[in-house]
Amino acid sequence: MKNSPLRVTDLAWNFLRPVIDPGDIVVDATAGTGQDTLFLCQCVGETGRVFAFDIQATALQQTKENLEKSGFADQVTLIHQSHESMVPVLKAAAVEERAVKAIMFNLGYFPGGDQTIITQLETTMIALEGALSLLATGGLITLCLYPGHPGGGAEAQAVIRWCEALESPFVAHHFRTLNRKAPPTFVMIQRTR
């Protein structure tokens, strides 16, 4: 493992660890296998809250099983909806604007699931706009982008262009592997004030 290249999810976790405190509210916008959800639970501790979204019931079931095995199920609200519904769902849960410390997006398809079900550019952009309104000062949005599957390249390019146009108080960073063809890429957005 020490000689393996860093995955984009490793980058996301490394940047988020020092930002998230026990008791924080965080969001996994694309629960998938539940690995990011579990990571977020470990960061927020027993007093924090994780909201995890996915459109696939099988993904949420796998996430639930992973959380139960690890003893974190009580800290998570699993939401069987698209990430585009993030703002209304969190408002209904009495989460205030600018109260969320971190929002993770792992775009593409559910590993081990139906690879024809992928995140869609239209819903991703709605979710990102909403995420900006929820993000606390000093908070981070992380995006793992996978251009190697059908539809992934267009989504990744559109997300990067959108990030390039962000204005203050947001700062966007883009990390990519230079010597691989169509590698996963990582984007991070910080709210500075």
Side-chain angles (χ1 to χ4, degrees):
M1 185 70 164
K2 282 186 178 181
N3 294 328
S4 298
L6 281 174
R7 301 171 304 158
V8 288
T9 52
D10 295 328
L11 289 174
W13 292 4
N14 288 341
F15 279 107
L16 287 168
R17 251 185 217 101
V19 171
I20 302 171
D21 294 315
D24 280 342
I25 298 169
V26 296
V27 174
D28 184 349
T30 49
T33 62
Q35 296 305 306
D36 289 338
T37 308
L38 179 58
F39 162 77
L40 290 170
C41 286
Q42 293 166 343
C43 291
V44 301
E46 293 179 7
T47 58
R49 192 85 201 147
V50 179
F51 293 87
F53 291 79
D54 209 289
I55 61 168
Q56 296 185 70
T58 53
L60 289 176
Q61 184 59 39
Q62 185 172 345
T63 297
K64 181 180 178 185
E65 289 169 7
N66 287 339
L67 293 168
E68 287 172 347
K69 286 178 195 170
S70 302
F72 288 104
D74 292 341
Q75 294 165 240
V76 180
T77 301
L78 297 174
I79 301 138
H80 188 199
Q81 293 183 45
S82 169
H83 51 215
E84 70 181 305
S85 63
M86 186 186 322
V87 170
V89 167
L90 269 65
K91 282 186 178 179
V95 174
E96 295 179 15
E97 194 171 274
R98 296 183 59 181
V100 178
K101 197 60 148 316
I103 303 169
M104 298 187 75
F105 289 83
N106 202 338
L107 302 178
Y109 56 82
F110 171 45
D114 183 347
Q115 293 186 10
T116 63
I117 302 173
I118 60 172
T119 52
Q120 299 295 314
L121 178 57
E122 297 79 20
T123 58
T124 296
M125 299 316 291
I126 293 167
L128 285 172
E129 288 287 349
L132 293 180
S133 71
L134 295 168
L135 195 63
T137 299
L140 295 179
I141 297 170
T142 62
L143 294 124
C144 296
L145 309 171
Y146 301 90
H149 65 85
E155 183 177 46
Q157 288 176 359
V159 167
I160 291 166
R161 279 194 309 273
W162 178 82
C163 289
E164 288 173 342
L166 287 174
E167 296 180 357
S168 184
F170 300 101
V171 177
H173 304 275
H174 181 203
F175 302 83
R176 64 187 180 94
T177 303
L178 298 174
N179 61 343
R180 297 289 187 270
K181 184 178 179 183
T185 185
F186 173 68
V187 174
M188 178 178 66
I189 303 165
Q190 180 185 23
R191 182 178 205 124
T192 60
R193 55 176 162 69

